[in-house]
Amino acid sequence: MTDPLALLPLAIAAGGGRVGPFDASQLVAAGLTLLQRSAPLVRALAGRRSAILLPSGPAFLVALAASEGRGALLLDGTSPPALIAWQLADADVGAVFTTEALVPRLPSDTPVVLLDDAPRVARVIVPDRIMNIDLGSHHGLSLEGDTATRGRDEECIAAYMPSGDRQVWSHRVLIAAGRAAVAELLLTPVDHVLSLLPCRDSEAVAVCLAAPLFAGARVTMRSPISVADVRHAVDHDDVTMIAARWRTETGIRVTAFSVANAVQQLRDGNLILTDA
């Protein structure tokens, strides 16, 4: 029998970390509950990908867990609606996890799951039907498995490159990348990682989200508009590390620095906010 921790969302849940005020296991449990309680959503996704169009925050992990058994296409909310429509059709997406504010960027007939109030409740909107789904008591998951298991080779996420090509990443690749980042960054459960990248590419998912949660750390996800916003967060939110896209000696990388190092990097102008 395949180890349940070979799936990225369940491996994240087993780490014991937190996203904002929520346990990661609570968010994953909410996503799995959403699938269990919404037959119309399961039918819409049958044999097809899901898609995620969300701002930075805990709802991303709910959506990733609710995409269990299929790849999740990561959408860029700044893309023109016509391009988003083409990507949904090209990737054969059955439903999109999003928010009410972002629905106008989608084709009008797209089945959507609104996660504005996740992990408490989700709203499923499919043709001729609207359902409010109670996502449960949110006590998290009881998971048993090998935390060193290799991930499955099945598709976990997909995204379109600037070239227009669609690239996919498996659970195995993302789990390995997340574990490598834990070791490189020396992440521990006492860390509070401020993630400045939206989870719409593989590096952000692995380094900014999965790695801290594998280590049992806390993650706060934000999309700052200026370096001043970042400095304010460092001064007021008990942050120990900042995960972002930085200019480094080896080139532009998605990585994390301790606060002391990050402050120096900010002074040197090495933080890249254009993708945040």
Side-chain angles (χ1 to χ4, degrees):
M1 184 175 179
T2 303
D3 193 314
L5 303 191
L7 295 174
L8 179 64
L10 295 181
I12 286 174
R18 294 174 64 82
V19 183
F22 304 107
D23 289 342
S25 60
Q26 176 182 350
L27 298 170
V28 172
L32 298 178
T33 299
L34 174 56
L35 278 183
Q36 293 168 356
R37 296 184 178 178
S38 178
L41 174 61
V42 173
R43 288 193 291 270
L45 290 172
R48 309 178 75 184
R49 288 184 175 90
S50 68
I52 300 176
L53 178 62
L54 289 168
S56 298
F60 178 86
L61 193 49
V62 177
L64 191 64
S67 300
E68 183 188 25
R70 58 191 58 81
L73 178 67
L74 307 184
L75 297 172
D76 182 351
T78 65
S79 297
L83 177 58
I84 292 175
W86 178 87
Q87 291 175 346
L88 293 175
D90 184 67
D92 192 25
V93 168
V96 181
F97 297 98
T98 187
T99 63
E100 186 171 2
L102 291 171
V103 166
R105 305 199 66 76
L106 300 169
S108 59
D109 58 348
T110 304
V112 297
V113 181
L114 302 183
L115 295 178
D116 299 80
D117 298 317
R120 183 180 63 85
V121 67
R123 173 168 285 195
V124 178
I125 304 175
V126 296
D128 303 319
R129 190 166 186 184
I130 299 176
M131 302 173 59
N132 290 321
I133 309 296
D134 183 350
L135 298 183
S137 57
H138 316 308
H139 292 304
L141 296 170
S142 177
L143 292 169
E144 293 184 2
D146 181 2
T147 55
T149 190
R150 298 175 70 186
R152 292 188 193 175
D153 281 326
E154 300 167 8
E155 180 181 327
C156 179
I157 60 173
Y160 282 88
M161 301 295 98
S163 63
D165 295 330
R166 184 175 68 243
Q167 188 169 347
V168 302
W169 294 268
S170 68
H171 293 272
R172 177 171 295 187
V173 167
L174 292 169
I175 288 173
R179 289 176 182 160
V182 173
E184 177 187 353
L185 302 174
L186 303 177
L187 290 162
T188 73
V190 301
D191 281 312
H192 177 192
V193 180
L194 176 63
S195 171
L196 304 182
L197 286 177
C199 290
R200 60 179 180 236
D201 63 53
S202 63
E203 287 185 297
V205 172
V207 176
C208 303
L209 182 68
L213 297 178
F214 284 167
R218 175 185 167 198
V219 178
T220 296
M221 301 169 68
R222 291 188 183 168
S223 295
I225 59 174
S226 69
V227 170
D229 293 336
V230 180
R231 288 178 173 152
H232 183 273
V234 169
D235 291 339
H236 294 86
D237 294 342
D238 196 28
V239 171
T240 64
M241 301 191 77
I242 298 179
R245 185 167 283 113
W246 300 91
R247 295 183 182 89
T248 72
E249 294 179 354
T250 58
I252 295 174
R253 293 184 59 204
V254 174
T255 189
F257 290 111
S258 66
V259 164
N261 197 345
V263 168
Q264 183 59 53
Q265 297 294 334
L266 290 172
R267 289 174 181 153
D268 292 342
N270 291 329
L271 174 65
I272 299 173
L273 288 174
T274 53
D275 292 333

